[in-house]
Amino acid sequence: MSASDPKMPRRRDTAALAIAAGLAIVAGVMLWDSARLADLGGYSGVGPASVPRVVSFGLLGLALWTVIAAVKGDFPDRPAQNIPPVLWIVAGLAAQLLLLHAAGFSIATGVLFAFTARAFGKRNLAMTIPVGIVFSFAVWVVFAQLLMLHLPAGPLEHLFFPGG
């Protein structure tokens, strides 16, 4: 009998229970943090603690719903996880964090772009790294030069904007 056979009872979904526990933990932290905020609702009764409380109660509701669905076995069967693409993206994020202050925003984010493209099936890193650097440089120009927001500048950014 297969797992989708209606005669065979489905087991509870432990991954969904773990997700429900994570939702409940995040909701608990938000409730705890909102309890420390001064509730300055004034005439309207809405203050800085109101929205975090609403969100945390919503998360608690989702956690409860997830527990019920997990115990009943209502979640569909999930395909096996393909680990190498996930590792490429994680490696890209790690490379960006390591390169950000040494190489600047454009190069670090270009590497992240290329590794993410590799995770989605684009195999030619020699092409995707320069393309990613060009796109990232355009983003850096918009944010750092036009909007005057601070993004880490590296050698490429200093080459085009020596004073920046």
Side-chain angles (χ1 to χ4, degrees):
M1 282 187 189
S2 70
S4 62
D5 192 353
K7 296 175 186 169
M8 184 176 175
R10 294 190 62 173
R11 296 184 325 204
R12 65 179 180 195
D13 193 342
T14 54
L17 290 173
I19 291 169
L23 287 169
I25 289 169
V26 170
V29 169
M30 287 179 69
L31 278 173
W32 172 75
D33 193 41
S34 68
R36 298 179 334 133
L37 293 173
D39 203 4
L40 307 172
Y43 69 91
S44 67
V46 177
S50 300
V51 172
R53 285 184 185 142
V54 169
V55 171
S56 61
F57 284 123
L59 287 174
L60 283 173
L62 287 174
L64 180 65
W65 190 3
T66 304
V67 166
I68 292 168
V71 170
K72 288 173 55 178
D74 284 346
F75 283 102
D77 290 333
R78 291 175 294 278
Q81 193 62 251
N82 192 1
I83 299 298
V86 174
L87 293 177
W88 274 103
I89 293 172
V90 169
L93 287 167
Q96 184 190 33
L97 287 173
L98 293 172
L99 292 172
L100 198 56
H101 291 290
F105 179 82
S106 299
I107 294 173
T109 307
V111 170
L112 171 62
F113 175 89
F115 279 32
T116 304
R118 172 66 176 87
F120 281 98
K122 192 71 174 170
R123 304 227 179 250
N124 189 358
L125 287 177
M127 182 186 70
T128 54
I129 289 176
V131 168
I133 290 172
V134 168
F135 285 148
S136 301
F137 182 73
V139 169
W140 182 86
V141 167
V142 168
F143 279 89
Q145 300 301 307
L146 296 177
L147 298 175
M148 298 299 175
L149 297 173
H150 178 70
L151 290 176
L156 180 64
E157 292 86 0
H158 288 300
L159 178 67
F160 288 97
F161 299 95

